[in-house]
Amino acid sequence: MTTTDPGTGTGTTTGTAPDAPGVSPPRTPPPRRSRGFATAAGVCVVVALLAQLPLIRNRVFYFWDDSAAQFLPMWHRLGERIAAGHWPPLLDLDSWMGGNLAGEALFGVYNPVNVANYLLVAALPDLGVASVLVKTEFLVLLALGLYLVCREYGAARPSAACLAVALPFSGYLLYFDASTWAAGLIAFAFVPHVWWTARRAARGGLNPLWAFVAAGLAVTAGNPYGVLGVAVVLAALLVEFAVRRRARGTAVVLGVGVCAALLVPLVFLPLLGSAEVTWRSDTDVVNDGFLVPGLTDLLAASTPTHLPHIGVFGGTGLAVPAAFFVWFALPLVPWLDWRVVRQRWRLLLAPLVVTAVFAVAALGPSKLWLFRWPIRHLEYCFLGAAVVLAVVLSSGLRTDRRRARGAVTAGLVALGGYLAWAATPESWPWHLGGVLLVGLLAALVVAVARRRPRRPGAVPALLGAGTAAVLGYQLAAFPANTDVSQLNYPHSVSELRTTFADRYPGEVMQVADMATAERTLGLHPDGAWRYFLFGNVYAAAGVESLVSYTGLGFRDFVDTFCLTNSGSTSCPEAWDALWRPTGYGGAPLADLLRVETVVVQNALVPDATAGPGWRITERDDVVTVLRREAPLPWPEGTLSWASPGVTVSGAIVAGDAADGTNPEWVRYTVADSGAGPQRLVFARLAWPGYHATVNGTEVPVEASPAGLVTVTLPPGVRDGELELRWSPPGQALGVASAGLGVLGALVLAVLAPRWGQTSRRSEAQRESS
């Protein structure tokens, strides 16, 4: 059997398999920690530098699509609120349909790393710069985690390093998670740290409390794929330690998993509890082929220009190599010593299980409960595959039967090139260049392995250099992800506030369609963004806007105004709905919403006029801006209407509430307590979780036709004080569950070191045998 020294990667031969009973492993000197720290630091530096390559041709590569419309502007808003002492910020009244931060979950407001980054983003003057810093941070965090996992499984430092450098720049991770869907990147970056800490704790080399902390960071990041990743990794470790009959390891992993699972209700119960009033109430299993990769895409996972021909936004066929793994995985298949897997299969069970589970999931239905678009599973599949590849690569390349192996490599490279050409024949020059680049790099690697067998670090170094070359080639061919929106929002916070903060004061309702703006003006700072903003960008501009980005969508509200998830108005009837009298004394929705400024796109509503109590403050060929003439009543609260028989003497929102839930108190008197039902309407969306009391007695909270909070006052009460509070659905259960999880982790941290502890050094030596 061929085994590897984890410090050098050199191979030796032994006649016994690992874990063989009664066999003592050979003693090896302990590795030098300073060398390990230096290698890990080098990985971090290289990944941080490579992460800047996309900016050469596309300076807003990381400020793209949802990162520009959703994440960065809201991170800025959250940073400002946290700096003001509001933590956790669970409800943002000024963001309206996107303001249920607890329900959205993906902002991860309980995650301390996220909180630190929100403060960082709020302190920076440019959202584009902030996006680069935060995305680079998590790419580096991911690389470090993978390096540690690979080392934990006995991979040599150079091999672990080259995989750790390569994985952050795999196709989907770079072009989707890093560039656009930041929540996926953040959650994924924590998963390898969960893996490393849990396995190391299970074999006695680390206190389990650290594994719980890592798992807690992954869970509280708020992305369900991160939770699934933690669950599969821990389940795979349970399989590994159960098969190897390591009772202590099994108990530790199970304990960490249970404690981490107890954090899940705190993060996701608000999402599930809010689903009934949102778009997310649909739980059907659907497979329409949308972002579902195929087996042929995996066969081209080392071809840098392969564009999977699958359903995507706006049609069929991806515009970026989203199924790309690492350039050397398939070309080196015939040169790797796969006997290592057969000989060490018990030790490699967990990465093999992770790879298999997520490969199957990536081929699954396009929608399964909270999990949409199976291509998102690919990065987790590649994580497991990277660990196996690093371990096998540590044994060096086989250089016998060179012709046969070379023929297989040529066939695999050619097959990848053919699949790439078949998907997009018109891009054949790029495919040809990619095939030649990968083929040349593979030939160089094999040549170096043959000529310098006593320098085990030479091959991984060349693989890392090849990663940089292939990344540069991909970015030359695909500088941006054009499968998603190319928004080109202004990213200077001061520029945004100069343009909009004073121009659109008070609560703003925008009636505008992004598609029309793109067609008539173009989506860029000198076009549509001189007049309109969508998504959460108004939050960074210092404007209180009823339109914002939402992954949930409050159905009654968005249906009333034909709003999309980005706050774009898709029908001109939204203008009429704003002024139509309601059943609340005939008050229009504009009054019930406490709107003070209305921004109207002339191309959508060409005849916008000012009604009674309003005046036009700006009109040109593009936009008409209306502003309310008289100040609204109850300026310190969100109360917007009271029944004629109700006199309100005070309404105030406790905007300084530390928990960020914005409770409100209303003092009122009723002229005739025997009259019909008396109601109060608030300019708040009636998210599940609202509770109201009058003089300490609970009263029902209902929703108006547009989804606004409505409270019916109790009969017989002439003088009352109403208290309106909101808390996320299931919060009490979530807090109790999380507290139990923390307590369990502390108990595990105390007890685990006493469970049959053996020598850490001898255990580590067995692991690398």
Side-chain angles (χ1 to χ4, degrees):
M1 160 185 161
T2 302
T3 60
T4 305
D5 184 330
T8 65
T10 55
T12 59
T13 302
T14 177
T16 58
D19 285 349
V23 177
S24 298
R27 288 188 172 273
T28 57
R32 291 174 54 188
R33 286 195 173 189
S34 59
R35 186 179 302 171
F37 288 144
T39 305
V43 166
C44 295
V45 171
V46 170
V47 170
L49 292 174
L50 291 181
Q52 312 314 306
L53 288 182
L55 304 177
I56 295 175
R57 292 199 59 193
N58 181 3
R59 65 189 183 93
V60 291
F61 182 89
Y62 296 113
F63 190 65
W64 198 260
D65 186 53
D66 283 3
S67 284
Q70 181 185 19
F71 292 107
L72 267 302
M74 184 55 77
W75 291 355
H76 191 278
R77 167 74 67 84
L78 291 174
E80 290 182 322
R81 296 195 64 189
I82 293 169
H86 303 162
W87 184 88
L90 302 175
L91 182 67
D92 183 5
L93 295 177
D94 294 330
S95 292
W96 282 85
M97 66 181 192
N100 188 349
L101 302 172
E104 294 278 355
L106 53 77
F107 287 109
V109 294
Y110 293 107
N111 187 296
V113 177
N114 282 8
V115 169
N117 279 305
Y118 299 157
L119 292 170
L120 171 66
V121 172
L124 293 173
D126 192 289
L127 298 180
V129 173
S131 71
V132 175
L133 293 177
V134 176
K135 304 294 185 64
T136 300
E137 169 196 335
F138 283 103
L139 289 172
V140 168
L141 187 67
L142 168 65
L144 177 61
L146 177 57
Y147 173 78
L148 295 172
V149 174
C150 293
R151 291 287 294 144
E152 175 65 20
Y153 281 93
R157 290 191 189 93
S159 300
C162 78
L163 266 300
V165 167
L167 184 66
F169 305 104
S170 58
Y172 176 84
L173 181 59
L174 178 65
Y175 282 102
F176 280 93
D177 274 2
S179 180
T180 67
W181 298 337
L185 169 65
I186 293 171
F188 183 54
F190 290 119
V191 172
H193 292 272
V194 177
W195 195 341
W196 173 68
T197 54
R199 190 177 190 274
R200 194 168 179 84
R203 65 176 185 82
L206 195 70
N207 192 291
L209 185 61
W210 293 108
F212 173 77
V213 169
L217 291 173
V219 170
T220 57
N223 186 285
Y225 287 87
V227 178
L228 181 63
V230 171
V232 172
V233 163
L234 295 180
L237 287 174
L238 285 176
V239 172
E240 175 188 332
F241 284 100
V243 169
R244 294 173 56 208
R245 298 181 181 180
R246 298 290 196 265
R248 181 191 184 280
T250 303
V252 169
V253 173
L254 184 61
V256 170
V258 170
C259 294
L262 290 171
L263 299 177
V264 173
L266 177 66
V267 181
F268 291 98
L269 277 184
L271 168 60
L272 300 178
S274 302
E276 61 182 286
V277 300
T278 72
W279 295 323
R280 291 299 179 93
S281 59
D282 180 11
T283 58
D284 293 339
V285 178
V286 178
N287 193 354
D288 55 11
F290 192 83
L291 288 177
V292 182
L295 285 173
T296 55
D297 299 319
L298 299 182
L299 291 175
S302 290
T303 304
T305 60
H306 173 62
L307 308 180
H309 197 69
I310 61 179
V312 70
F313 304 99
T316 302
L318 284 163
V320 293
F324 179 76
F325 175 29
V326 294
W327 72 267
F328 52 84
L330 292 178
L332 292 188
V333 162
W335 302 92
L336 295 171
D337 190 354
W338 294 104
R339 294 173 297 181
V340 173
V341 177
R342 184 177 69 250
Q343 294 162 349
R344 303 182 61 188
W345 67 270
R346 290 182 181 85
L347 293 177
L348 293 175
L349 260 178
L352 290 171
V353 169
V354 170
T355 303
V357 168
F358 281 109
V360 172
L363 303 175
S366 52
K367 180 179 180 294
L368 177 61
W369 193 40
L370 294 177
F371 304 98
R372 299 181 299 165
W373 312 337
I375 199 170
R376 288 169 161 167
H377 294 295
L378 273 185
E379 58 194 8
Y380 292 89
C381 171
F382 292 159
L383 174 63
V387 176
V388 176
L389 187 56
V391 173
V392 177
L393 185 62
S394 299
S395 294
L397 302 185
R398 300 186 63 174
T399 55
D400 58 322
R401 303 172 60 190
R402 294 192 298 273
R403 291 185 179 180
R405 297 182 193 278
V408 175
T409 291
L412 289 171
V413 173
L415 175 62
Y418 170 76
L419 293 174
W421 170 81
T424 52
E426 66 278 6
S427 300
W428 67 266
W430 284 108
H431 301 320
L432 178 60
V435 167
L436 292 176
L437 176 60
V438 171
L440 176 62
L441 288 171
L444 286 174
V445 168
V446 172
V448 168
R450 286 180 54 206
R451 295 176 182 177
R452 300 190 176 183
R454 297 185 180 277
R455 297 184 62 182
V459 166
L462 184 54
L463 296 179
T467 294
V470 170
L471 174 62
Y473 187 83
Q474 285 181 312
L475 292 170
F478 317 107
N481 184 355
T482 56
D483 288 312
V484 293
S485 301
Q486 304 169 63
L487 299 172
N488 300 308
Y489 279 121
H491 37 84
S492 167
V493 176
S494 61
E495 178 184 338
L496 284 167
R497 295 190 171 180
T498 298
T499 304
F500 293 104
D502 294 331
R503 183 181 175 192
Y504 298 159
E507 201 72 61
V508 176
M509 177 62 190
Q510 178 176 281
V511 182
D513 176 42
M514 187 186 294
T516 302
E518 181 177 17
R519 185 176 64 254
T520 58
L521 300 169
L523 303 183
H524 51 80
D526 294 326
W529 308 146
R530 290 185 297 163
Y531 308 95
F532 315 108
L533 295 173
F534 297 92
N536 292 331
V537 186
Y538 272 130
V543 174
E544 301 172 6
S545 172
L546 273 72
V547 298
S548 58
Y549 193 103
T550 178
L552 295 177
F554 196 107
R555 279 199 311 270
D556 289 347
F557 184 75
V558 299
D559 290 348
T560 298
F561 296 108
C562 306
L563 294 170
T564 66
N565 66 319
S566 65
S568 173
T569 302
S570 58
C571 71
E573 289 76 19
W575 168 259
D576 299 325
L578 190 62
W579 308 110
R580 187 179 301 121
T582 66
Y584 299 93
L589 269 178
D591 289 351
L592 298 184
L593 293 167
R594 297 183 62 87
V595 172
E596 297 178 68
T597 301
V598 181
V599 180
V600 186
Q601 183 182 40
N602 293 340
L604 189 66
V605 184
D607 54 353
T609 58
W614 292 82
R615 61 187 174 90
I616 294 176
T617 59
E618 180 180 344
R619 189 197 290 274
D620 56 22
D621 293 339
V622 177
V623 68
T624 298
V625 180
L626 294 83
R627 191 171 301 170
R628 188 182 293 273
E629 293 181 327
L632 288 164
W634 316 301
E636 296 180 316
T638 65
L639 180 66
S640 57
W641 182 84
S643 293
V646 179
T647 300
V648 176
S649 58
I652 184 169
V653 171
D656 58 349
D659 62 0
T661 58
N662 300 287
E664 185 164 355
W665 287 269
V666 177
R667 290 185 178 180
Y668 70 90
T669 59
V670 178
D672 182 4
S673 59
Q678 307 292 317
R679 294 185 174 88
L680 301 178
V681 178
F682 296 83
R684 299 166 171 249
L685 289 180
W687 296 105
Y690 268 106
H691 303 276
T693 59
V694 171
N695 296 340
T697 302
E698 189 164 351
V699 294
V701 178
E702 302 169 328
S704 73
L708 301 183
V709 169
T710 304
V711 177
T712 300
L713 301 176
V717 178
R718 299 184 65 91
D719 297 293
E721 181 175 283
L722 179 143
E723 181 179 351
L724 181 66
R725 285 188 174 272
W726 178 87
S727 60
Q731 185 184 42
L733 177 59
V735 170
S737 178
L740 188 60
V742 172
L743 180 61
L746 293 174
V747 172
L748 185 64
V750 173
L751 295 181
R754 306 177 183 178
W755 292 346
Q757 177 78 23
T758 59
S759 168
R760 295 184 182 183
R761 179 173 295 179
S762 62
E763 176 73 11
Q765 289 171 349
R766 277 199 297 273
E767 297 288 344
S768 62
S769 303

